Amino acid sequence: MSKKRYEVIAIRDYYPHNSDKSSSIFVHQQVLGVKKYNYETLVISPNPLFSNLFSGRYASRDNNYQGVDIIRPKFLKFPNQIFYNISFKSLRKAIMRSGSNLDSKIIHAHFGQNGAAAVYLKNKLNLPLVTSFYGYDSGRLADRFKPYYEALIRDGDLFLALSKDMEKDLLNIGFPKEKIVVHHLGVDIDKFKDKKSENKTFRFLVLAQFEENKGIHYAINAFSKVLEHKKNIKLVLVGSGPYKSEIMKLINKLNISDNVEIINNLSDPEPRLVVQKQMSLCDVFLLPAITTKSGHKQGTPVVLMEAQACSKPCISTYHAGIPETGIDGQTGILVNEHDTSSIVDAMIK
């Protein structure tokens, strides 16, 4: 594989594979987009050992996914960011081990920690290094990563931020303004076309990883209040994650389970088809994202773009880069974070 000429070396752990097609889709779409312009890309996707040792989620991986060549070197990663110094050194060595003999033109690292670890490969190959940030790497985990960003700040050539909000975060960390470009993500609109629903029951859709910062509990609380006045409605929650038990408790507490459907698209062999189907079926898309006490927040959620590509009105919040993704009063309604009553008003409208 290494004898082939690759114009771009892309670096991203958790790159999708045949047994997990939903991981890092936004990165995969960028790689495919670059390939359309005839720039061959090799992905270096370090395979975390310890972090997923017992889950088996990344136990078996392919070295080619949908026409993209991939090297998946193993590296030692401890869960929950403990002993991060050891994990980072192992990540850096894995990237160097995989890429030091490659013939290429540019390195594109996805997520700040991968950019920091790729600095050593950049200097070895004397190539420009572009690093894309996505949210937690510039936000809630920035303090953890900051000591490792020093070399990246010094030697990195370009830093891509998803929004103006993220640009501010990068400036606060110490990244130079002259090297930061606000570069929004996009979606393949051919896969998410205008699809009019023909539901007898009006459907509200939340499609997200079940985490606190998605604000799903605000959507559920608002829905329960709308249900007091509008009976022919349904709330569909698509996804899974660590916050699922809290979501289930809230649904049962509010006694609205008959009007709420939960779909785990991640358990389906084709999770993206589930996403596209539910997007087409819904009438209104909901994502009342919030910033948590730990500083966890969004970047520019891809699902909002996908919903708008389907011509679905979206209810979301003035949060992170969302105001640069959805236009209040045109593509949907934006409300303040934690404002359940305004979500209710928006849903009724």
Side-chain angles (χ1 to χ4, degrees):
M1 186 184 293
S2 61
K3 294 181 180 180
K4 185 177 177 180
R5 170 73 175 181
Y6 296 98
E7 284 83 7
V8 182
I9 301 171
I11 300 174
R12 167 58 173 150
D13 49 341
Y14 302 106
Y15 199 79
H17 54 100
N18 286 323
S19 58
D20 189 355
K21 299 178 180 180
S22 63
S23 179
S24 299
I25 296 169
F26 51 93
V27 176
H28 181 54
Q29 288 175 338
Q30 291 180 64
V31 171
L32 292 179
V34 169
K35 281 174 65 66
K36 287 182 180 179
Y37 288 89
N38 297 318
Y39 293 103
E40 280 299 320
T41 300
L42 173 69
V43 175
I44 297 177
S45 182
N47 185 353
L49 281 177
F50 190 83
S51 178
N52 298 294
L53 183 62
F54 300 104
S55 69
R57 185 181 177 197
Y58 289 88
S60 177
R61 300 186 178 199
D62 39 67
N63 59 11
N64 185 284
Y65 181 73
Q66 296 184 352
V68 177
D69 289 333
I70 307 166
I71 298 176
R72 301 188 188 268
K74 296 179 180 180
F75 80 106
L76 182 64
K77 180 179 180 181
F78 290 95
N80 301 322
Q81 306 301 324
I82 62 173
F83 305 119
Y84 187 72
N85 186 49
I86 297 174
S87 297
F88 180 79
K89 289 180 179 178
S90 184
L91 173 66
R92 183 184 68 199
K93 290 178 180 178
I95 292 172
M96 280 291 290
R97 189 168 66 246
S98 303
S100 59
N101 293 321
L102 293 174
D103 180 17
S104 189
K105 293 182 178 179
I106 193 169
I107 301 170
H108 185 183
H110 296 270
F111 289 87
Q113 71 275 21
N114 290 322
V119 168
Y120 302 85
L121 180 62
K122 165 211 162 51
N123 292 332
K124 164 79 174 179
L125 300 180
N126 193 27
L127 294 177
L129 170 62
V130 177
T131 303
S132 289
F133 291 82
Y134 293 96
Y136 74 78
D137 48 354
S138 59
R140 65 185 173 93
L141 293 183
D143 289 341
R144 173 63 59 87
F145 294 148
K146 190 171 182 178
Y148 305 94
Y149 283 164
E150 292 180 2
L152 180 62
I153 291 171
R154 182 185 68 242
D155 295 340
D157 297 279
L158 185 66
F159 309 111
L160 300 183
L162 295 184
S163 65
K164 294 178 182 177
D165 178 78
M166 190 177 292
E167 180 185 33
K168 292 178 182 177
D169 289 340
L170 291 177
L171 290 172
N172 289 335
I173 295 170
F175 286 88
K177 184 175 180 61
E178 63 273 14
K179 290 185 179 181
I180 301 174
V181 171
V182 175
H183 185 72
H184 299 103
L185 285 177
V187 297
D188 186 346
I189 59 174
D190 291 331
K191 293 182 179 179
F192 292 90
K193 295 181 179 179
D194 182 357
K195 298 177 181 178
K196 302 297 183 184
S197 65
E198 299 178 356
N199 303 322
K200 294 181 180 179
T201 301
F202 197 93
R203 294 167 69 99
F204 292 97
L205 173 66
V206 175
L207 199 157
Q209 179 78 2
F210 290 177
E211 297 176 340
E212 183 184 3
N213 75 305
K214 306 296 184 180
I216 301 172
H217 48 302
Y218 285 97
I220 294 170
N221 277 315
F223 176 78
S224 70
K225 294 182 181 301
V226 177
L227 192 58
E228 295 173 4
H229 307 282
K230 308 284 185 179
K231 299 302 180 183
N232 198 29
I233 61 174
K234 186 174 187 177
L235 176 63
V236 181
L237 308 177
V238 177
S240 187
Y243 206 61
K244 184 176 181 179
S245 61
E246 297 298 321
I247 289 171
M248 295 299 298
K249 289 178 184 177
L250 181 58
I251 292 171
N252 292 329
K253 177 183 177 182
L254 295 172
N255 195 28
I256 57 173
S257 58
D258 289 344
N259 295 82
V260 179
E261 180 181 2
I262 298 179
I263 301 172
N264 183 0
N265 66 310
L266 300 180
S267 65
D268 192 278
E270 295 293 340
R272 296 301 291 166
L273 294 182
V274 176
V275 169
Q276 292 170 26
K277 178 182 178 180
Q278 293 304 318
M279 282 286 191
S280 67
L281 288 174
C282 82
D283 294 285
V284 170
F285 185 80
L286 282 164
L287 185 64
I290 62 169
T291 302
T292 65
K293 292 180 180 179
S294 65
H296 193 181
K297 62 180 179 179
Q298 300 282 286
T300 52
V302 173
V303 287
L304 277 178
M305 304 176 210
E306 293 173 343
Q308 290 170 108
C310 293
S311 294
K312 305 298 181 179
C314 299
I315 299 171
S316 194
T317 47
Y318 289 104
H319 168 87
I322 287 177
E324 296 169 53
T325 304
I327 306 173
D328 183 44
Q330 293 186 38
T331 64
I333 300 173
L334 299 181
V335 303
N336 291 327
E337 293 185 28
H338 312 285
D339 190 348
T340 301
S341 62
S342 290
I343 298 173
V344 171
D345 293 341
M347 293 174 75
I348 292 173
K349 184 174 182 178

